[in-house]
Amino acid sequence: MEARAAAEAEEVPIGAVVVCAGRIIGRGRNRTREWHDPTAHAEMLALGQATRSLRFERLIDCTVYSTVEPCFMCAGALMHARLRRVVWGVRDPKFGACASLAQVMNDPRLNHRAHCAEGLRADEARELMQSFFRARR
């Protein structure tokens, strides 16, 4: 739903939610164009809402679900939040930092690791992204 809302607002259709103890505590969708802010990625906004919800900067027992593999900026923020798990639909071969260009979430040089899983609703995520960019070309 968040990714579709982003597409309707003419943003790249990426949405993210943070889930803790079985409930959504943070939601976000890309708003970089709307807010004229290159940091307004779906994952960043969902993280901010989640940490405000818990009133704590760490999301130790939480999972983030995103339409697309997180970029370097988002992966870094996810690591700082100490998320337990990161799940995404499709890889991002140009900016992806969890599997495509790097494996930030599991880099042995860092003091935290997160479990990663990809492919959740991948067909739906892929079609959403492809149709969005096809309409702009």
Side-chain angles (χ1 to χ4, degrees):
M1 289 179 358
E2 295 297 328
R4 281 182 176 53
E8 288 172 15
E10 298 187 19
E11 296 277 359
V12 175
I14 299 175
V17 295
V18 178
V19 175
C20 195
R23 68 182 185 80
I24 295 173
I25 60 168
R27 295 176 183 272
R29 64 176 175 84
N30 273 8
R31 291 179 179 260
T32 58
R33 292 180 178 141
E34 177 185 353
W35 291 357
H36 310 288
D37 180 354
T39 68
H41 288 198
E43 298 91 338
M44 300 292 280
L45 301 178
L47 278 178
Q49 192 177 85
T51 56
R52 286 189 299 278
S53 172
L54 292 181
R55 301 183 75 192
F56 191 61
E57 70 276 9
R58 301 281 189 242
L59 300 171
I60 296 165
D61 292 321
C62 301
T63 299
V64 68
Y65 295 91
S66 181
T67 311
V68 175
E69 175 186 4
C71 70
F72 283 90
M73 174 182 67
C74 293
L78 295 169
M79 292 299 285
H80 281 290
R82 305 293 195 268
L83 273 114
R84 177 173 300 230
R85 198 164 165 238
V86 179
V87 180
W88 66 88
V90 293
R91 287 189 181 198
D92 183 346
K94 294 182 179 179
F95 290 100
C98 299
S100 296
L101 298 178
Q103 294 182 350
V104 172
M105 309 311 290
N106 291 298
D107 190 310
R109 297 168 293 184
L110 300 175
N111 65 341
H112 176 73
R113 312 276 184 297
H115 298 285
C116 292
E118 63 180 287
L120 181 67
R121 299 177 75 168
D123 292 338
E124 184 179 354
R126 187 176 299 102
E127 175 54 33
L128 189 58
M129 295 294 287
Q130 289 174 344
S131 63
F132 176 81
F133 286 110
R134 195 171 26 246
R136 274 136 191 84
R137 291 187 179 129

